[in-house]
Amino acid sequence: MARTLVIVESPAKAKTIGKFLGRNYKVKASIGHVRDLPKSKLGIDIENEYTPKYITIRGKGKIIKELKAEAKKAKRVLLATDPDREGEAISWHLANILSINEEDKCRIEFNEITSKAIKSAVKKPRPIKKKLVDAQQARRILDRLVGYSISPLLWKKIMRGLSAGRVQSVATKLICDREKEIEDFKPEEYWTIDLELNTLDAMKSIEASFHGIDGKKTELKNSEEVNAIINNIKNKPFEITNIDEKLRRRKPYSPFTTSSLQQEASNKFGYSTRKTMILAQQLYEGIDVEGEGTVGLITYIRTDSIRISDEAKAEVKDFILKEFSEEYLGKEEKKSKNNKASQDAHEAIRPTSALRSPVAIKNSLSKDQFNLYRLIWERFVSSQMADATYSSLNVDIVSGEYLFKAKGTKQEFDGFLKVYTFTKITEKEVSKVEVGEKLKAEKIDPKQHFTQPPARYTEASLVKEMEEKGIGRPSTYAPTISTILSRGYVEREAKSLKPTELGVLINEILENNFDKIVNIDFTATMESNLDKVEEGEVPWIKVIDDFYTPFKEILQKAEESIEKIDLTEMTDEKCPKCDEFLAIKHGRFGKFLACSNYPECSYTRSILNKTGVDCPRCDGDIVIRRSRKGRIFYGCSNFPNCNFMTWNEPTDKKCPECESILVIKKTKKKKTIQCSSKECKYKKDIEDNE
C-alpha cells in the first residue's frame, strides 16, 4: 500500500508522531531549515525587488536526497513543521525542493503532539499560507540587510568578528542604557521609624511604622527630622484611632506565554532563557512516559497568546471539581485577554492533559524537565481556579500630630494557591486591639536608608522589557540573549547582565551613526509591520523598500564619518618568545595579551584579574575567570596544575571551623558568608554594609 510521507523538523518529533500514525505513514525529519541565504555573501538581489537567493544549507544534501526518495515512493506528502511563520517557511522551502505545488493541500499543523491532535491534523490538510512565508521572509531579509551592511563596517573601523543586528543591537542598547542609569544614579537619604508598642496592661503588643504628620504621608529625609519626632513621642502615650479591616482578593495568574514562562523559570529555578526553551522543546516533542509510551506533555511553546481551547477548559474544570470542590472552581469563567501585540496564533503553553499530574510522571522526567513541567501544569490548572482571599488589617496609631500604622494580613481561602505553590500570601499577625485603646512605646527603632539605583537586567527582566516594548517575538528572545553574550557585548555578573567595554563602544557607534536602527520605537514598529504582512495588509517588498531606501543613505554617511578605532593598548612587558613588546588586544572572550610582532610571532596569554586572595591549595592567586557561557567564577592562577574553583566571591578571611577561605554568596534577599569547602557547613548571614 502506498504510504503517506509526513515531514517534521526534528527526529524526536518524528519518533513521537510515527508511533501515533501507524504503518501507513512514514515520518521523516528535515532537521530544521533545508534552504537559507548564503553565509559568504548578501544573497539578496536588491535591484530586483529584493529577491532572496536561497541555497541548500551545507550538510543538508544527504537529508534532502532521502526526503526526495521517500517522496517519490509516497502517495502524498504532508508537511508538518511548527505552526508559526518559521515553520510555514520551512514547509514552503520543502515544497519547493520536493516539487510540491504550494496551493495543494499539503500542509498540516497541530498545537500539541498527542495521538488525538495528530490524527485529527492529517485529516485536515491545507495549502501553504504564503502570507506567513512572506512575513518570515521579510524578517530574514531585513536582518540580513542590517547585519551584512553594518557588520563589515565594524570590521573595517574597529576589528574583525564584530556584528550588528536589528534586534540584538537594541537588546544591547537596553543593557547599556540601564548601566548608564546606574552610573549616573545619586543616592538619596531617607529614614524610617519602627515602634514596638504594648497595651498599658502589657497583655498585648503591636509593631507599627511611622507614616506621616497630621494624617498626611511624610518622607523623613535626615536625622534631624527623625530626632525631632523621637523627642516628641518619647514617654508620650499612643492611641488607636482607626481600625480598617477588609476582605481582599488575589486573582490567579494567566497560563504561560513564551515570555512569561522564560521569566518565571529564571526567577524560580535560575534557568537561562536558552535552557528553558530546550527543556520546553523536549516536553513538547515527546517524552517516554511510563505506562503511556511517548507523548507530548505540553502544547506548542512559541506563543504570545493566553487563550485556552474549550476542550482544555472542560477537562481542567472536571479535574478541579473531582480533586477539590466546586468552591475551588470559582463562580465565573475566567476570560483570557491577550495583549494588543499578541498574534494569538496558538493557545497558551499548557499541559496536553490536566489529568497528567507532575507527581504521576515524575519518574519519567529528569529533574529539570520535572521542574518545568510542574511549573507549567500548576500555572495552567490554577489559572482556572477561584481567587484566593485574605483579610487585610490596617491600624492607625497616633501620638500627638504623628501617625503610625500597623498592618496585618491573614489568608482566609487559598483558592488557586492550593495548586500554584510557586507563590503565596505572606501572613502577618496583628494583636486584637480596639479603637481608643492606649499604648506605650517599649522600643523606638530609627533606621537610615539610601535609595538604590535601578537593578541591572537579568535574562528574565530583559525578556519582560523586550516584550513590553514590542522588540522581537516569542521565538527571538532566547537566541537574541545568547547572541549578545557570545559576541562579548554583554557578560553575566551573578545573574545580572552587564555590558562589556566592547559592548559599550559598539553601542555608542551604532547610536551615533545608526540611531534609527537601534531605536526602540523603530524596532517595535517594524515588528508591527511584519504582522501586517502576515495579515495581508502590506506587501513584504514595500516593508523592505521603506526601510532600505533611507538606510542606504545612513550607511553611506556612517562609512564617511566613523573614524578607524585601534583598540590595541601597548604594554612595557616583553614577549618571552621574541622580546618584542606585548599588547593588550580585544577578542571574543574579552581582553588578552598578544605579541606586537604578530603575525611573525603568535604568542598570546590571557590576562589574569587577581582578587587579592591567595589560593588555599597552593601558592597561586585566586583570579576572576569566565565560563564558556559567560558566567563569572573564581579559580587558581596555576590552573590546570591546581583546580581550585568557586562560583562565589572569595574573601581573605579563614573559616573558624576548618581554616578554608570564606566566600560570599549573594541572593536577591540576603548575603551569606560561608566556607568554600564542601565538607564544612559553616554559614553566617551578613548585613549589606558589612
Side-chain angles (χ1 to χ4, degrees):
M1 184 183 292
R3 295 190 294 184
T4 296
L5 173 64
V6 179
I7 303 177
V8 296
E9 286 158 295
S10 77
K13 196 189 292 186
K15 180 182 175 184
T16 306
I17 292 173
K19 291 181 178 179
F20 296 146
L21 292 177
R23 61 181 183 177
N24 291 330
Y25 290 83
K26 180 84 170 180
V27 186
K28 298 288 287 182
S30 68
I31 323 289
H33 279 275
V34 289
R35 292 200 311 174
D36 197 6
L37 299 172
K39 285 187 176 182
S40 58
K41 55 186 178 180
L42 184 63
I44 299 164
D45 188 349
I46 294 171
E47 304 302 323
N48 186 23
E49 295 188 319
Y50 306 99
T51 303
K53 299 176 181 178
Y54 294 115
I55 62 167
T56 300
I57 295 172
R58 182 177 293 180
K60 289 296 180 79
K62 184 180 178 182
I63 293 170
I64 290 172
K65 186 178 179 181
E66 289 176 1
L67 292 177
K68 283 182 174 179
E70 291 293 343
K72 281 184 180 179
K73 293 187 286 184
K75 183 179 180 180
R76 65 171 178 164
V77 178
L78 295 177
L79 306 171
T81 50
D82 284 345
D84 56 14
R85 291 176 188 167
E86 201 78 16
E88 203 73 14
I90 293 174
S91 284
W92 180 70
H93 285 296
L94 285 167
N96 185 282
I97 285 173
L98 301 176
S99 301
I100 299 170
N101 187 336
E102 64 187 62
E103 294 181 1
D104 289 347
K105 291 183 177 181
C106 59
R107 174 82 166 108
I108 62 170
E109 61 177 302
F110 37 83
N111 197 48
E112 58 190 63
I113 303 178
T114 59
S115 179
K116 183 178 179 181
I118 300 303
K119 289 176 180 177
S120 174
V122 296
K123 294 176 183 176
K124 297 182 289 186
R126 59 163 174 81
I128 290 172
K129 293 180 180 177
K130 194 58 169 51
K131 291 173 186 175
L132 266 71
V133 177
D134 288 345
Q136 188 277 339
Q137 186 165 252
R139 173 187 286 279
R140 188 75 184 95
I141 292 172
L142 275 169
D143 290 343
R144 175 57 66 101
L145 288 172
V146 172
Y148 274 50
S149 298
I150 301 179
S151 297
L153 184 58
L154 296 177
W155 298 358
K156 183 178 177 182
K157 301 290 185 177
I158 306 174
M159 69 176 190
R160 291 191 65 82
L162 300 178
S163 75
R166 192 176 57 85
V167 177
Q168 76 175 56
S169 297
V170 179
T172 304
K173 173 180 165 57
L174 287 172
I175 294 167
C176 290
D177 287 350
R178 177 58 58 85
E179 195 67 21
K180 191 171 188 313
E181 283 182 63
I182 294 169
E183 290 170 359
D184 294 344
F185 181 81
K186 291 181 174 55
E188 294 181 6
E189 180 183 9
Y190 71 99
W191 288 72
T192 57
I193 304 174
D194 296 327
L195 303 179
E196 285 184 19
L197 302 164
N198 283 346
T199 53
L200 297 181
D201 59 6
M203 296 298 290
K204 290 178 281 189
S205 63
I206 191 168
E207 294 178 357
S209 299
F210 175 78
H211 181 78
I213 300 173
D214 291 331
K216 295 180 180 178
K217 186 167 178 60
T218 307
E219 298 289 337
L220 302 176
K221 299 292 186 181
N222 52 58
S223 59
E224 288 77 13
E225 293 177 355
V226 172
N227 290 333
I229 294 172
I230 292 174
N231 290 332
N232 285 330
I233 64 173
K234 195 178 289 184
N235 301 320
K236 297 284 179 66
F238 292 78
E239 183 181 347
I240 296 172
T241 58
N242 185 56
I243 297 174
D244 182 21
E245 189 168 7
K246 291 181 179 178
L247 188 68
R248 300 186 182 276
R249 294 183 173 276
R250 184 167 173 182
K251 294 185 177 298
Y253 301 101
S254 299
F256 283 124
T257 62
T258 304
S259 166
S260 58
L261 176 62
Q262 290 173 349
Q263 292 171 51
E264 198 72 350
S266 175
N267 292 331
K268 296 298 185 287
F269 309 125
Y271 293 167
S272 67
T273 51
R274 183 174 180 273
K275 180 174 181 176
T276 297
M277 295 311 289
I278 289 172
L279 292 169
Q281 188 76 24
Q282 292 166 357
L283 296 175
Y284 166 67
E285 290 187 344
I287 299 290
D288 192 8
V289 176
E290 204 173 301
E292 284 193 73
T294 305
V295 62
L297 297 180
I298 63 174
T299 54
Y300 189 56
I301 59 174
R302 293 178 182 87
T303 176
D304 51 10
S305 171
I306 54 173
R307 180 173 54 81
I308 301 167
S309 70
D310 291 338
E311 186 179 0
K313 281 182 181 178
E315 184 190 58
V316 74
K317 178 182 177 181
D318 290 343
F319 174 81
I320 294 166
L321 288 171
K322 182 181 177 183
E323 291 296 317
F324 308 109
S325 67
E326 189 171 350
E327 183 184 20
Y328 279 93
L329 187 63
K331 304 302 178 186
E332 295 179 11
E333 183 182 354
K334 303 297 172 189
K335 293 182 180 180
S336 299
K337 292 183 180 179
N338 296 314
N339 63 56
K340 288 182 181 179
S342 170
Q343 295 173 48
D344 201 28
H346 317 293
E347 287 188 63
I349 301 172
R350 61 167 176 81
T352 52
S353 174
L355 306 180
R356 197 178 286 113
S357 72
V359 174
I361 61 172
K362 185 174 183 179
N363 292 338
S364 301
L365 304 173
S366 69
K367 180 183 175 182
D368 290 336
Q369 288 172 340
F370 173 76
N371 283 342
L372 198 68
Y373 180 72
R374 179 180 156 219
L375 186 67
I376 294 167
W377 186 89
E378 288 189 8
R379 181 75 162 232
F380 168 65
V381 174
S382 67
S383 74
Q384 302 302 299
M385 295 177 71
D387 298 346
T389 59
Y390 61 97
S391 56
S392 171
L393 182 68
N394 288 301
V395 181
D396 290 354
I397 304 166
V398 168
S399 178
E401 61 184 323
Y402 304 113
L403 172 63
F404 294 80
K405 283 184 176 285
K407 297 181 180 182
T409 304
K410 183 183 178 184
Q411 183 173 290
E412 300 293 342
F413 175 60
D414 52 3
F416 77 96
L417 297 176
K418 184 87 170 177
V419 166
Y420 198 59
T421 59
F422 292 96
T423 190
K424 61 182 180 179
I425 293 172
T426 304
E427 294 188 299
K428 183 182 178 182
E429 191 119 5
V430 175
S431 298
K432 283 279 185 183
V433 288
E434 296 178 5
V435 172
E437 200 162 355
K438 298 289 193 294
L439 306 167
K440 61 181 178 180
E442 289 295 318
K443 184 179 179 183
I444 301 174
D445 184 17
K447 286 183 181 176
Q448 182 188 37
H449 309 272
F450 291 92
T451 55
Q452 297 297 308
R456 286 189 178 120
Y457 285 111
T458 61
E459 288 200 24
S461 60
L462 182 62
V463 166
K464 184 179 181 181
E465 186 79 358
M466 290 173 70
E467 182 185 38
E468 287 178 353
K469 293 189 180 301
I471 301 165
R473 282 293 179 259
S475 61
T476 65
Y477 302 136
T480 296
I481 293 172
S482 295
T483 297
I484 60 178
L485 283 166
S486 65
R487 293 291 180 189
Y489 299 160
V490 172
E491 61 187 6
R492 284 195 184 95
E493 194 169 277
K495 291 184 179 180
S496 300
L497 299 175
K498 178 184 176 183
T500 61
E501 290 179 42
L502 184 61
V504 171
L505 175 64
I506 298 301
N507 182 59
E508 286 179 0
I509 291 171
L510 294 179
E511 278 191 317
N512 292 336
N513 297 276
F514 298 95
D515 179 55
K516 186 178 180 183
I517 307 305
V518 295
N519 181 283
I520 292 167
D521 292 336
F522 167 78
T523 306
T525 301
M526 187 59 72
E527 293 293 351
S528 176
N529 288 339
L530 292 173
D531 292 344
K532 289 176 181 177
V533 172
E534 178 177 331
E535 291 156 10
E537 295 178 15
V538 181
W540 72 268
I541 293 173
K542 177 173 170 47
V543 171
I544 302 293
D545 195 57
D546 288 349
F547 162 78
Y548 190 70
T549 301
F551 177 66
K552 275 192 303 183
E553 295 179 16
I554 296 171
L555 191 65
Q556 188 174 349
K557 288 178 183 177
E559 177 81 41
E560 296 167 358
S561 63
I562 300 176
E563 295 182 2
K564 187 168 177 61
I565 300 171
D566 188 1
L567 299 179
T568 303
E569 304 170 48
M570 295 302 297
T571 73
D572 56 3
E573 186 179 348
K574 293 291 188 75
C575 174
K577 282 189 174 181
C578 70
D579 209 35
E580 292 290 333
F581 286 107
L582 293 177
I584 299 173
K585 296 192 174 183
H586 285 258
R588 185 174 172 184
F589 300 105
K591 293 180 178 180
F592 65 96
L593 284 169
C595 183
S596 58
N597 195 28
Y598 179 84
E600 282 72 21
C601 177
S602 59
Y603 176 81
T604 60
R605 190 179 80 223
S606 60
I607 296 175
L608 299 179
N609 296 314
K610 297 182 179 181
T611 61
V613 180
D614 296 330
C615 177
R617 295 184 186 172
C618 69
D619 59 355
D621 299 301
I622 297 180
V623 297
I624 301 172
R625 298 188 184 275
R626 194 169 296 280
S627 71
R628 289 182 179 178
K629 294 183 178 179
R631 186 179 171 190
I632 287 175
F633 70 96
Y634 304 88
C636 182
S637 58
N638 289 332
F639 180 83
N641 296 324
C642 176
N643 62 0
F644 173 82
M645 71 81 63
T646 175
W647 292 108
N648 301 310
E649 181 184 345
T651 73
D652 56 2
K653 296 180 175 64
K654 294 291 181 72
C655 175
E657 295 184 5
C658 73
E659 288 294 305
S660 294
I661 64 167
L662 294 175
V663 296
I664 297 173
K665 184 174 183 179
K666 298 177 183 177
T667 65
K668 284 184 178 180
K669 296 182 179 178
K670 63 180 180 178
K671 285 198 299 186
T672 305
I673 191 163
Q674 60 187 46
C675 186
S676 59
S677 172
K678 293 180 180 178
E679 288 73 32
C680 181
K681 303 299 181 185
Y682 177 80
K683 183 186 293 187
K684 178 186 173 186
D685 290 345
I686 55 177
E687 298 295 328
D688 287 339
N689 57 356
E690 285 189 55

